[in-house]
Each structure stands twice: as structure tokens, then as C-alpha cells.
Amino acid sequence: MPTAARVKRQATPISRTTLTAAAFEQLISYVVKGDWKAGDRIPPERELCQQLGIARTSLREALKAMELIGLLESRVGDGTFVCPRSEFLSRPLLWALTGTDHIELGNIMEARALIERDLAGLAAERGTEDEIEAIGQQVRAMREAIDHGGSIVDADMNFHLAVARAAKNDVLHNAVQLLRNLLRHWINLKLMLPGVSEQVLSEHDAIYKAVRRRDPDAARSAMWSHLQITAELVNRVVEQAKQPVHRQSPSNA
Amino acid sequence: MPTAARVKRQATPISRTTLTAAAFEQLISYVVKGDWKAGDRIPPERELCQQLGIARTSLREALKAMELIGLLESRVGDGTFVCPRSEFLSRPLLWALTGTDHIELGNIMEARALIERDLAGLAAERGTEDEIEAIGQQVRAMREAIDHGGSIVDADMNFHLAVARAAKNDVLHNAVQLLRNLLRHWINLKLMLPGVSEQVLSEHDAIYKAVRRRDPDAARSAMWSHLQITAELVNRVVEQAKQPVHRQSPSNA
DNA sequence: AATGGTATAGAGGTCTTACCATTCAGTCAA
DNA sequence: TTGACTGAATGGTAAGACCTCTATACCATT
């Protein structure tokens, strides 16, 4: 280009989108807006593509993308279902996101501890009464689960999410969820160790009480120590899993 | 098969997977392992599906998934290209990840500040000499960019990534990258404000020096104040963008 | 030379049709 | 009641056709 190119593309470059991309956004919005809820079975492909007015091929490209991301699950002869968010973050997505297949457990635990420590402090500072009460609710839920049966796992997860919600930061709330999902397998094992549930409950309670009395520092350190202990236990569980002779590897669901 | 054909699949360990999923993993690994680098043009579909020994339909489902995630970009008549990681995190993926279309800028800024504050502290504690030197390198790169032209944006991004790397936590390193990408548009605008680049440079330098003298607290507070100022400026830019009469909206790239 | 038109090959986008493999529910005989 | 069988419905895969769009090279005009 001899004469100083000009480039200056002022004009709008006319946007066009592909059918597949449009379908993808549409389908995602179904999930996001709650038309399709976790566990739901969505209409069969042959029906859906008619509703959307596109060919099955185009629809499938969108559908497949959602499945590979981990939003949907297809079973031949059965149908296609919406995955619960709790089982989110598929390995393909992890790849896409991190550019690597394997992330050190320790890194995840550390990230979680750092983030949730901050969140605990924020929750104590800015949580509303209702939001803080929701935290307490999860403490009681765990008590209930321990005493009369129920899902300790859910109570655990929900407790941490309640804290994140009280901290009023959607981004970190989501981060908590993602990190927690990455650790799901090991945390579940951890919670089954003898005495651990009582231990966790008391730690949660300490965090809750600190938040309730609006003591950010106490909340931070309570959360920190809780997650340090958790990390310790998780490491122990992981080591245990390595030892046995014929134990199958955890594999991500 | 008249007699119930109970397929005893004892022998083969169930390696059952769909062709599309297999192709997807294969393609991802090309990107991850660097066979396909950012900007590369990948083989045409008709050729690629032959190489992989699958139908174009199946290949396209995998290809499309990668495109919708934001890993690839297809242009009709031209070809399919690998997206640079810096332009990662497409809106569809954001949807899939957060379950929402819109996240408050303030939340993103806050999350970033909290995370990077921790990272700055960790970098001061555990960064190797080389890693810390890499931080300084980015400070100098920005000096160079200001004085003799060059990408201030890159130097800015790389500085923060260098800090994250010195902190030795892959998860948070990636978080920094993602959050930064979400803010990309506004940060770029911010960096163009008069005097801001010098300001940023001096703040970066302060962080670098704190890290280098292994002072976690100083590093934390330097990073914190840097990101508070940044948040302030970004808000100002956002407000400016709202006012003018005929400014086009930013739109995600 | 620079500009603009034009032809063309090749890329992705879309649709159609077909068939396969699996699953599930209903049927019917033992 | 049980168990095997059957068939419809579903997702998975393949192949081929045709479209629009892009980049490129070539040519005519200025």
C-alpha cells in the first residue's frame, strides 16, 4: 500500500447472524428464563426444529454446543434433558475456559478460600437482615440433616451460596458455585468422614454468628479457618483415594 | 439375534462416546496443545472431516460448539480461524456460565479488586525472582509504549497476568483474565483518557516495587488502591458514554 | 498506475433424506 | 406375576445437494 492506507471503517458493518447462533441464543434463553428447568425433558429434535422453523441439522449444532458445554444431556432413545446447574462445568468447558485439562486441587481450594474469606467479610458489612437470616437457615438445615436425615451436601453448598448472596456480588457468587462444583466429588467424600459433619456445622455456625453480629474481621477469619480445615480434610480424602488397591478413579460426571 | 443378546461388554471398558464428542475433544486438544494457534486458519470442513474419518455433519457439530463457545470464528467463503484467547469469553458462554445476560460492572470491578489484591499479596510472598522480574518487565513495557508508541493495553493486561502468575494460582490467574476481558472495552476507553496512562504506570510501578521488596501488605494495598482508582475512572468513562448524543453502544466484539 | 468490473473457485450455511442404535413402554404368552 | 418380544420414538451418523458469501485473479477503463 503505497499511499497511506485509510481504513477508517466508520460505517456499520451490517450484522448478520447464522440460524444456528440464533437458535443457540434462543435455547439458552429458555434455560436462563426458566422455561426449561433442570431435569426437564425438552421437546424432541424433530419437533423442536419445526417449532423454530429450521432444519434438524442447524438445530442440532446449537443443541450439541449446549450439550458439550454441559447445559444439556442427550440420551439416545430417551430424549434430551436440562442438566441441573449443580452438575455444571463439564470437562470440555473447563478445557475451553482454562486451556488446560487439569487444575491442581490445591489451587482450587486456595482460590475458594481467598474468595470466600472476602465474601464473609462483605456479608457482615452489607448483608441485609433477611440475607443473614438465610445463612442461619442453612445452619439449621444442616443441623436438621444431621439429626433426622437429609442432604448435608445441599446444606453445605447452600450455606456458602447464602454467604455469597449476602455479600451482594453476583460474579463472586458464581465463582463460589463453580469452584465448589469442581470440588464436589471430594467434598462429598469429606462430608462422609466420621465426625466431620458436626465439625463443619460448628464452623458454619461460627461464621454465621460473626456475620450476624456484623463483625467482618471475625467472619473473615472464621471462614478462612473453616476452609483451611476443609482443605486439610480434602487432602486427606484424596490421599486415601490414592492408596487402596482397586479403587476406581473419581472421574468427572 | 433370537436369544436376548445380553451383550457382555465386560471386555471393553465402555469407551462409548459419540463421534461428535470425540471430535470436540480432539479439536480442543489441537488448540490447547498449540497445533492450532490464535489467528490460524484451520483446514476446511470438507477436508477436516475426511482426516478425522467422520461425516461433515458430525464434525460441524463439534466445530459449531467451539465457535459458539468462542474458541473459533467462521467466516463464510473465507474459512474458520482460531480466536485469540484475549478475545475470549463470548456472550453465549457468559450466559452459560452465569445464567444471566447482564452482570453489573460494579460487581465485576469489585470481584477483580478483591481477587487481585490477594494475588498481589501472594506474589510478594511466594513469587520467584524470575516471576517478579517479569512483572517489572511489563512496567518497563508500558513505559516504552507511552514514550515510543506501542500497546499500552497489552502492557496493562500483561502486568496483571504477570502478578497472577507470580502468585502461582492457575485458577485465579484465569479469573483475572476472564474478568479483565469482561471489562476490556471500558478499560481500553479508560486508558485513552489524558494523563491516565502515566497514572497507571506509576501505580503499576508501586505494586511492582512492593512485590519486589517482598512486602505483601504494601503490595496488597497498592493493588487495591490501583483498582479502586481504575474503578472510579471506568465509572466516569461509562457515564461519559451514556451522555453523548450519537455514540454507538459498545457491543461485545 | 489506479480504479472498478467480472468471473471463478472454494469456503461455510442450510436443508433434505435416509438409515442406524438405543431406549422405553406396551403386549402377550407362559 | 413374570418375562420375552415388539414397535414406536429418540438421538447419532451419513451423504449429497444447493445456497450465499469471500478472496483472488484477471481484465477493461480511466
Side-chain angles (χ1 to χ4, degrees):
Chain A
M1 292 222 207
T3 58
R6 1 176 233 149
V7 186
K8 280 258 175 180
R9 52 178 62 203
Q10 203 73 324
T12 21
I14 351 179
S15 66
R16 265 198 61 258
T17 176
T18 67
L19 287 184
T20 297
F24 183 72
E25 299 213 355
Q26 182 71 62
L27 298 183
I28 292 249
S29 82
Y30 286 159
V31 176
V32 169
K33 292 180 181 169
D35 295 338
W36 292 349
K37 294 189 292 291
D40 280 3
R41 171 176 159 164
I42 73 176
E45 297 177 352
R46 289 168 176 83
E47 188 176 316
L48 198 51
C49 65
Q50 282 197 348
Q51 287 180 19
L52 297 179
I54 60 177
R56 195 174 157 216
T57 318
S58 304
L59 172 66
R60 269 183 63 86
E61 285 173 3
L63 236 30
K64 250 334 195 182
M66 292 181 68
E67 183 182 349
L68 292 175
I69 286 176
L71 249 46
L72 299 178
E73 181 188 353
S74 294
R75 290 197 291 269
V76 185
D78 197 1
T80 302
F81 302 81
V82 180
C83 286
R85 276 191 68 76
S86 62
E87 292 187 7
F88 194 55
L89 203 70
S90 58
R91 203 178 82 184
L93 180 58
L94 184 63
W95 275 9
L97 220 49
T98 64
T100 174
D101 194 359
H102 178 68
I103 292 189
E104 281 296 324
L105 260 188
N107 278 340
I108 303 175
M109 293 294 313
E110 180 177 78
R112 187 181 172 217
L114 290 168
I115 289 174
E116 295 215 37
R117 179 172 64 174
D118 287 333
L119 287 179
L122 289 180
E125 286 173 11
R126 54 165 85 145
T128 66
E129 292 301 319
D130 283 352
E131 287 163 347
I132 293 177
E133 206 31 56
I135 300 176
Q137 176 59 37
Q138 291 307 323
V139 174
R140 289 190 293 277
M142 185 174 285
R143 171 83 276 164
E144 175 74 13
I146 293 176
D147 291 345
H148 305 94
S151 173
I152 298 179
V153 174
D154 286 350
D156 181 46
M157 173 67 141
N158 288 335
F159 171 84
H160 288 278
L161 290 181
V163 172
R165 206 165 290 119
K168 293 185 175 48
N169 187 305
D170 291 340
V171 176
L172 293 181
H173 176 277
N174 209 261
V176 168
Q177 195 159 336
L178 288 181
L179 294 176
R180 171 60 207 249
N181 282 339
L182 285 177
L183 298 166
R184 178 162 30 110
H185 176 77
W186 302 111
I187 289 188
N188 290 358
L189 285 183
K190 181 207 77 168
L191 287 174
M192 286 162 46
L193 292 177
V196 164
S197 48
E198 281 291 349
Q199 164 86 12
V200 168
L201 177 58
S202 75
E203 290 165 13
H204 279 195
D205 192 51
I207 298 169
Y208 164 55
K209 292 211 169 91
V211 170
R212 197 177 55 180
R213 68 172 184 272
R214 305 289 185 179
D215 186 341
D217 288 337
R220 284 174 61 91
S221 66
M223 179 67 87
W224 182 255
S225 93
H226 167 48
L227 292 178
Q228 292 309 111
I229 293 172
T230 295
E232 174 61 30
L233 289 174
V234 165
N235 276 334
R236 192 181 307 167
V237 171
V238 171
E239 286 309 314
Q240 273 182 5
K242 282 181 186 167
Q243 298 300 344
V245 192
H246 61 302
R247 217 78 187 101
Q248 80 280 17
S249 74
S251 90
N252 44 44
Chain B
M1 290 218 194
T3 59
R6 214 73 174 106
V7 210
K8 46 176 67 182
R9 50 183 65 201
Q10 202 77 329
T12 39
I14 324 184
S15 63
R16 184 84 184 90
T17 176
T18 67
L19 286 184
T20 298
F24 183 72
E25 299 212 356
Q26 181 71 61
L27 298 183
I28 291 251
S29 82
Y30 285 158
V31 176
V32 170
K33 292 180 181 170
D35 295 338
W36 292 349
K37 294 188 292 291
D40 280 3
R41 171 175 160 167
I42 73 176
E45 298 177 352
R46 290 167 175 82
E47 187 177 316
L48 198 50
C49 66
Q50 283 197 348
Q51 287 181 19
L52 298 178
I54 61 179
R56 192 173 161 219
T57 317
S58 305
L59 172 65
R60 269 183 64 86
E61 286 174 2
L63 235 33
K64 251 329 195 184
M66 292 182 68
E67 182 181 352
L68 292 175
I69 287 175
L71 249 46
L72 299 178
E73 181 188 354
S74 293
R75 291 197 291 269
V76 187
D78 196 1
T80 301
F81 303 81
V82 180
C83 285
R85 278 192 66 79
S86 63
E87 292 187 7
F88 195 54
L89 201 70
S90 58
R91 202 176 83 183
L93 181 56
L94 183 63
W95 276 8
L97 218 50
T98 64
T100 175
D101 194 358
H102 178 67
I103 291 188
E104 281 296 324
L105 260 189
N107 278 339
I108 303 175
M109 293 294 312
E110 180 177 77
R112 188 181 172 217
L114 290 169
I115 289 174
E116 296 215 37
R117 178 172 63 174
D118 288 332
L119 287 178
L122 290 180
E125 287 173 10
R126 55 165 86 146
T128 66
E129 293 301 319
D130 284 351
E131 287 163 346
I132 293 177
E133 205 32 56
I135 301 175
Q137 176 57 38
Q138 291 307 322
V139 175
R140 290 190 291 276
M142 185 175 286
R143 172 84 276 162
E144 175 73 14
I146 293 174
D147 291 347
H148 306 94
S151 173
I152 298 178
V153 174
D154 286 350
D156 181 45
M157 174 66 141
N158 289 335
F159 171 84
H160 289 278
L161 289 181
V163 172
R165 206 166 289 121
K168 294 186 175 44
N169 186 305
D170 291 339
V171 176
L172 293 180
H173 177 275
N174 209 260
V176 168
Q177 195 159 336
L178 289 181
L179 294 176
R180 172 59 207 251
N181 281 340
L182 286 177
L183 298 166
R184 178 163 27 114
H185 176 77
W186 303 110
I187 289 188
N188 289 359
L189 285 182
K190 180 208 75 168
L191 287 174
M192 285 162 47
L193 292 177
V196 164
S197 48
E198 282 290 348
Q199 165 86 14
V200 168
L201 177 59
S202 75
E203 290 164 14
H204 279 194
D205 191 51
I207 297 167
Y208 164 57
K209 291 207 170 98
V211 170
R212 197 177 54 180
R213 67 171 185 273
R214 303 289 184 179
D215 185 342
D217 289 337
R220 283 174 62 90
S221 67
M223 179 65 87
W224 182 255
S225 94
H226 168 48
L227 291 178
Q228 293 308 111
I229 294 171
T230 294
E232 174 62 30
L233 290 173
V234 165
N235 276 334
R236 191 181 307 168
V237 172
V238 172
E239 287 308 313
Q240 274 183 5
K242 282 181 185 167
Q243 299 298 346
V245 193
H246 61 301
R247 220 75 186 102
Q248 78 278 20
S249 74
S251 88
N252 47 45

